[in-house]
Amino acid sequence: MRFTSHRDFARAFERAILRANVPIAYSQGFTPHPKVSYASAAPTGVSSEAEYLEIGLRAVVDPAELCRALDAALSPGLDVLEAVESPLNGGGSLADRIDASSWRIELPGLSGEEVAGAVRTFLDAPEVLVERLTKQGRRTFDTRGAVVRLEASDLEILSDFASGDLPSEVTDIPCAILDLVVRQVTPTVRPDDVLSGLRVVADLEPPVPPRATRLAQGVLTEQGDLVDPLAMSGEVDRTAAVVGTSSQ
């Protein structure tokens, strides 16, 4: 599913809305379209466990029932985890409540020790310039300034993954894991940009393609904690999930 583009997902979600008989609202004008707003869509080629979107409805529905109906209408791998009534009716947008994201990057064939050395070099640099091809042509930008947290460890010492329950079906040992928290900036700094930065400053070259998974998105507090965007309002009873603290 990580190779599904955002446009493909948007089409699949709109079809699920129709199949689930959701009373979706439509925009006005000659070409009405469903009122669906996506916040910080994940780039093609990565997995994600934390995507957010808003939909406008013509009628009040039970969020739990809506969640079950949409999840049943979507293909396996596209899962609706939760639906809540938006606390943003008073103004603002969901995108305003997302200014950072947390990622896990798996690097099969590399040890945590050798990756940790490259990470230290990256974090010690005042800036790390990389080049990316964009719609406006090739663009050079700094990746270091957007990185809030970057840590390396070995897969075998992570207590979260018991034997036989490896992330993304990783079977190669050693396998280094990068824990990355990055701010939302313009242009967006993606996991592959950070890997390009590690290649620039430390000549780190993964022997096989890495796999990135977005674990969380939210608001970055002054303490460097990443908080669920819907936990910022008293209208929705959600526990603020702390993802990590700044290592700058």
Side-chain angles (χ1 to χ4, degrees):
M1 296 304 297
R2 69 183 187 277
F3 295 112
T4 301
S5 70
H6 173 65
R7 183 171 295 181
D8 291 334
F9 168 72
R11 283 196 290 260
F13 188 79
E14 290 179 11
R15 292 190 186 109
I17 287 175
L18 296 177
R19 285 196 292 268
N21 294 318
V22 175
I24 191 75
Y26 285 82
S27 62
Q28 302 297 315
F30 292 104
T31 56
H33 58 273
K35 287 192 174 182
V36 183
S37 176
Y38 302 90
S40 185
T44 304
V46 306
S47 304
S48 180
E49 299 174 2
E51 297 302 296
Y52 292 88
L53 58 84
E54 292 178 277
I55 59 176
L57 303 178
R58 302 190 311 271
V60 176
V61 300
D62 178 65
E65 290 295 331
L66 176 68
C67 179
R68 284 191 288 269
L70 284 173
D71 189 51
L74 284 165
S75 301
L78 296 176
D79 304 311
V80 179
L81 303 181
E82 187 174 6
V84 299
E85 186 175 352
S86 173
L88 305 174
N89 294 329
S93 67
L94 183 60
D96 295 334
R97 298 191 176 207
I98 296 178
D99 57 22
S101 56
S102 172
W103 296 84
R104 181 185 65 222
I105 306 174
E106 303 152 12
L107 302 170
L110 294 176
S111 70
E113 183 177 357
E114 58 186 316
V115 175
V119 167
R120 285 192 295 271
T121 303
F122 181 95
L123 293 177
D124 289 342
E127 67 175 7
V128 179
L129 299 178
V130 302
E131 187 180 74
R132 188 207 300 163
L133 182 63
T134 68
K135 294 179 180 179
Q136 291 74 36
R138 290 200 171 275
R139 184 169 183 179
T140 300
F141 56 95
D142 175 38
T143 57
R144 175 62 187 93
V147 173
V148 177
R149 172 176 176 157
L150 184 61
E151 296 180 355
S153 58
D154 281 303
L155 173 65
E156 55 234 21
I157 65 173
L158 291 180
S159 59
D160 291 342
F161 306 120
S163 178
D165 187 24
L166 303 179
S168 299
E169 301 178 355
V170 169
T171 58
D172 293 338
I173 299 295
C175 178
I177 302 293
L178 280 177
D179 175 16
L180 170 67
V181 176
V182 62
R183 290 188 183 91
Q184 301 281 11
V185 295
T186 303
T188 302
V189 174
R190 308 178 309 201
D192 58 318
D193 296 323
V194 175
L195 292 173
S196 295
L198 290 170
R199 186 181 306 113
V200 167
V201 299
D203 199 27
L204 183 72
E205 190 68 48
V208 297
R211 290 190 178 185
T213 301
R214 177 145 63 187
L215 301 179
Q217 296 190 76
V219 177
L220 193 65
T221 68
E222 293 182 359
Q223 293 74 31
D225 297 333
L226 190 59
V227 179
D228 187 299
L230 297 185
M232 303 298 291
S233 171
E235 298 178 40
V236 179
D237 183 17
R238 294 171 61 92
T239 301
V242 176
V243 174
T245 56
S246 174
S247 60
Q248 283 188 320

